[in-house]
C-alpha cells in the first residue's frame, strides 16, 4: 500500500513537471514550452548558414549563386510539409481539446501517410523537370549544370524533407518540443560534419553539398516517423486509418497560409534574383543569398515561437476556453514586440561581421552586402507580429484569414515593391521592398485581429 502511494506521488510529480497543452500559461510556462521550438528553428537556420559558408568560400560564388537560384524551387515542393504540419497540427490539437484522442490519432496518421505518397510523386516529377525549370530561371553553362546536380540530389530526399517539416509541428502537439530540438540538433550537426567532409576534404563540390543536406533530411524525417510508429508516452501515435477527404481538406485549408507563405517566398525570391541580375549582376544574387541565410536566424525566432504556441491556442480553442485565449494572445503580442526590437538592433549591429563570414574575400561585394543587410533588417521590427498573426488564425482553424495575411504579406506587397522601388531608389529599393511589404501587412493583420475579436472572444 505504501509503495503504491509513493509510486502515485512520483507519477503525479512527474506530470506536474511536464507542461501540458491544457494548462494555464504564465509568461514563464509559455517561454519554457516554446523555447525548444524556437531554438530548433534558430539551429536549423544556423546549419543552413554553415552550408552557405562552405559553398561560398570553398566551391565559389558561382556555385553559391546556382544553389540560391534552384533552392526556391525545392522549397515550393517542401511547402507541402509545412502546410500539413501546421494545418494538421491545428486540426489534431483542436480534436484533442474536444476530448476525442482516438480521432486525433487517426487524423495524425492519415496526414503523415498522405505526405509520404505525395513526396514520392513530387520526387519523380521534380527529377524529370529540373532541367527545364533551371533553364527557365536563367541558368546556363556551369550554373545550369550545378542547378541540375544540386536539385536532383536534394529531390531524392524530398519525402523525408516533407516529413521533417511536418513533424516539427506534430512533436509540439505531442508535448515533446524538446525531442524536436534534439532531432534538429542531430540533423544540423550531421549536415555540418558532412559538409566539411564532402566539400572540404573530399572536394565533391555542389554534389557534396546536396548530399550532405539530403542525408541530414533523411534523419530528420525517418527518426520521428519510427518514434511515432512504436509505442510511446505521448498523446500521438501512428495507427491504422483511412483517408478522410473532408479532414484532409480542413487540414490543407488551415495550413494553406504556411504553404502559401513558402511558395510566395520562393516566387518572390525568383523575382528578387531577376531584378538583382538587372541592377547588380551575379553579385546581387550572392548578396541576396546571404541575406536569406542570415535572415533565417532572425525570422526563425518568430516562426519558432508561432509554431510552438499554435497547438496551445488550438487546444484551448477546441476546449472553448476563452479566458486562456485572451491570456495567450496578450502575452504573445508582448513577447513578440519585445523580441522584435532586440532582433532588429542585433541585425543592424552584426551586419558587417555576418557579411564578412561569407564574402570577406571581395571588398566590393562585402560593402554591398553590409548595406543590403542593414536596409533589409529594418523589416524585422514588424515581421514577427505578422508571422504570429497569420499563425494565430491558423491555430484557430481559420485558414482563410491566415492565408489572406500571408498572401498579401509574402506575395502581393513584395511584388509591388520589388517592381516599383528599384525604379525610384535603384538597388537600395530592392533591399527596402520587404520593409514596405511588412508595414502594409501589419495594417492588414491588425484589421483582422480587431474584426474577429467578437467571433473568437480573444480580446
Amino acid at each position: 500500500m505504501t509503495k503504491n502511494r509513493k509510486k502515485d506521488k512520483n507519477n503525479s510529480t512527474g506530470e506536474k513537471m511536464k507542461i501540458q497543452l491544457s494548462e494555464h500559461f504564465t509568461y514563464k510556462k509559455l517561454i519554457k514550452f516554446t523555447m525548444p521550438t524556437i531554438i530548433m528553428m534558430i539551429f536549423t537556420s544556423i546549419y543552413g548558414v554553415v552550408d552557405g559558408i562552405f559553398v561560398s568560400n570553398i566551391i565559389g560564388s558561382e556555385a553559391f549563386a546556382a544553389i540560391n537560384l534552384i533552392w526556391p524551387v525545392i522549397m515550393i515542393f517542401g511547402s507541402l510539409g509545412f502546410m500539413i504540419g501546421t494545418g494538421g497540427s491545428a486540426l489534431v490539437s483542436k480534436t484533442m481539446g474536444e476530448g476525442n484522442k482516438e480521432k486525433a490519432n487517426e487524423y495524425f496518421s492519415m496526414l503523415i501517410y498522405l505526405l509520404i505518397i505525395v513526396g514520392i510523386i513530387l520526387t519523380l516529377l521534380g527529377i524529370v523537370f529540373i532541367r527545364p525549370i533551371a533553364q527557365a530561371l536563367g541558368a546556363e553553362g556551369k550554373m545550369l549544370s550545378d542547378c541540375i546536380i544540386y536539385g536532383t540530389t536534394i529531390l531524392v530526399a524530398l519525402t523525408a524533407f516533407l516529413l521533417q517539416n511536418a513533424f516539427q509541428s506534430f512533436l509540439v502537439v505531442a508535448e515533446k518540443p524538446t525531442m524536436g530540438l534534439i532531432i534538429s540538433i542531430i540533423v544540423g550537426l550531421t549536415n555540418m560534419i558532412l559538409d566539411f567532409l564532402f566539400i572540404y576534404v573530399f572536394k565533391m563540390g555542389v554534389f557534396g553539398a546536396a548530399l550532405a543536406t539530403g542525408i541530414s533530411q533523411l534523419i530528420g524525417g525517418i527518426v520521428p516517423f519510427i518514434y511515432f510508429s512504436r509505442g510511446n508516452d505521448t498523446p500521438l501515435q501512428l495507427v491504422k486509418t483511412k483517408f478522410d477527404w473532408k479532414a484532409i481538406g480542413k487540414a490543407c485549408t488551415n495550413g494553406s497560409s504556411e504553404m502559401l507563405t513558402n511558395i510566395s517566398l520562393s516566387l518572390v525570391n525568383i523575382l528578387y534574383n531577376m531584378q538583382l541580375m538587372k541592377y547588380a549582376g551575379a553579385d546581387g544574387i550572392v548578396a541576396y543569398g546571404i541575406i536569406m541565410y542570415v535572415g533565417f536566424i532572425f525570422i526563425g525566432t518568430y516562426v519558432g515561437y508561432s509554431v510552438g504556441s499554435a497547438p496551445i491556442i488550438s487546444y484551448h480553442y477546441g476546449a472553448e476556453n476563452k479566458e486562456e485565449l485572451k491570456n495567450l494572445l496578450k502575452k504573445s503580442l508582448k513577447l513578440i514586440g519585445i523580441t522584435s526590437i532586440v532582433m532588429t538592433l542585433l541585425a543592424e549591429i552584426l551586419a558587417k561581421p555576418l557579411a564578412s563570414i561569407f564574402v570577406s574575400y571581395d571588398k566590393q561585394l562585402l560593402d554591398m552586402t553590409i548595406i543590403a543587410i542593414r536596409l533589409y533588417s529594418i523589416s524585422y521590427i514588424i515581421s514577427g507580429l505578422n508571422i504570429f498573426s497569420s499563425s494565430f488564425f491558423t491555430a484557430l482553424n481559420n485558414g482563410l484569414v491566415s492565408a489572406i495575411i500571408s498572401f498579401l504579406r509574402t506575395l502581393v506587397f513584395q511584388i509591388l515593391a520589388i517592381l516599383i522601388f528599384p525604379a525610384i531608389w535603384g538597388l537600395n529599393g530592392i533591399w527596402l521592398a520587404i520593409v514596405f511589404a511588412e508595414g502594409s501587412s501589419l495594417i492588414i493583420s491588425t484589421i483582422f485581429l480587431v474584426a474577429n475579436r467578437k467571433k473568437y472572444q480573444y480580446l
Side-chain angles (χ1 to χ4, degrees), residues 405-458:
I405 294 173
S406 293
F407 179 71
L408 292 174
R409 170 180 169 258
T410 58
L411 192 65
V412 176
F413 292 143
Q414 283 207 65
I415 286 178
L416 287 174
I418 293 168
L419 294 175
I420 296 172
F421 281 23
I424 303 173
W425 294 298
L427 181 60
N428 286 344
I430 298 178
W431 310 131
L432 287 169
I434 184 67
V435 181
F436 168 80
E438 294 291 359
S440 302
S441 299
L442 183 59
I443 296 173
I444 301 299
S445 298
T446 303
I447 290 172
F448 276 119
L449 283 170
V450 173
N452 286 278
R453 67 189 187 283
K454 291 184 180 179
K455 180 179 179 181
Y456 297 105
Q457 298 178 41
Y458 47 66

Side-chain angles (χ1 to χ4, degrees), residues 144-396:
L144 175 60
S145 175
D146 285 342
C147 284
I148 294 171
I149 292 171
Y150 188 85
T152 302
T153 307
I154 287 290
L155 283 168
V156 172
L158 180 63
T159 301
F161 183 46
L162 295 178
L163 291 174
Q164 179 183 346
N165 292 338
F167 280 129
Q168 286 177 349
S169 296
F170 283 122
L171 281 167
V172 179
V173 178
E175 299 171 348
K176 290 286 185 178
T178 303
M179 178 178 290
L181 171 60
I182 292 171
I183 292 173
S184 180
I185 291 174
I186 293 171
V187 168
L189 290 175
T190 300
N191 194 6
M192 288 187 276
I193 292 170
L194 293 181
D195 270 335
F196 174 76
L197 290 174
F198 295 163
I199 299 174
Y200 182 74
V201 178
F202 299 130
K203 309 296 181 184
M204 295 170 67
V206 170
F207 171 69
L211 186 61
T213 301
I215 291 174
S216 66
Q217 288 172 349
L218 287 171
I219 295 172
I222 293 174
V223 170
F225 180 83
I226 294 173
Y227 176 77
F228 285 114
S229 297
R230 306 175 67 180
N232 60 72
D233 61 348
T234 77
L236 294 183
Q237 188 169 350
L238 289 171
V239 298
K240 290 183 179 180
T241 186
K242 58 183 179 180
F243 286 103
D244 181 337
W245 297 107
K246 184 177 179 180
I248 290 173
K250 182 64 176 175
C252 291
T253 302
N254 287 342
S256 60
S257 62
E258 278 65 29
M259 184 183 73
L260 189 59
T261 296
N262 283 279
I263 291 177
S264 297
L265 286 173
S266 297
L267 294 174
V268 166
N269 285 351
I270 291 170
L271 182 57
Y272 264 109
N273 288 336
M274 292 172 63
Q275 286 287 73
L276 287 167
M277 281 295 289
K278 178 181 177 181
Y279 284 89
D283 281 354
I285 294 180
V286 173
Y288 182 62
I290 293 169
I291 287 177
M292 289 296 96
Y293 279 113
V294 171
F296 289 151
I297 297 174
F298 294 96
I299 295 297
T301 304
Y302 307 140
V303 174
Y305 180 83
S306 299
V307 171
S309 62
I312 307 171
I313 295 167
S314 296
Y315 185 95
H316 287 285
Y317 171 59
E320 299 184 359
N321 190 344
K322 309 299 181 185
E323 289 304 312
E324 189 61 20
L325 280 181
K326 292 179 183 178
N327 172 60
L328 290 167
L329 178 60
K330 180 182 178 181
K331 286 182 168 58
S332 294
L333 291 178
K334 285 185 178 179
L335 288 171
I336 291 289
I338 294 170
T339 304
S340 297
I341 296 172
V342 175
M343 289 292 103
T344 305
L345 290 174
L346 282 175
E348 296 295 334
I349 294 170
L350 298 174
K352 184 173 181 179
L354 287 171
S356 299
I357 293 173
F358 291 90
V359 289
S360 58
Y361 55 82
D362 188 326
K363 188 179 185 306
Q364 184 177 349
L365 180 54
L366 175 63
D367 291 339
M368 176 199 295
T369 305
I370 293 170
I371 293 172
I373 292 175
R374 284 179 174 158
L375 292 176
Y376 193 95
S377 296
I378 298 171
S379 65
Y380 298 152
I381 202 165
I382 311 170
S383 57
L385 294 169
N386 290 324
I387 291 169
F388 175 76
S389 296
S390 178
S391 174
F392 183 69
F393 283 106
T394 297
L396 294 175

Side-chain angles (χ1 to χ4, degrees), residues 77 116-133 151-152 154-159 162:
F77 291 159
I116 294 173
I117 295 171
V118 171
I120 294 171
I121 294 172
L122 287 178
T123 295
L124 297 175
L125 290 174
I127 291 174
V128 171
F129 292 104
I130 193 69
R131 175 181 286 273
I133 290 173
T152 302
I154 287 290
L155 283 168
V156 172
L158 180 63
T159 301
L162 295 178

Side-chain angles (χ1 to χ4, degrees), residues 25-34 305 331 335:
F25 278 78
T26 60
Y27 282 109
K28 183 178 179 180
K29 281 186 180 179
L30 195 53
I31 292 171
K32 185 177 180 181
F33 189 83
T34 58
Y305 180 83
K331 286 182 168 58
L335 288 171

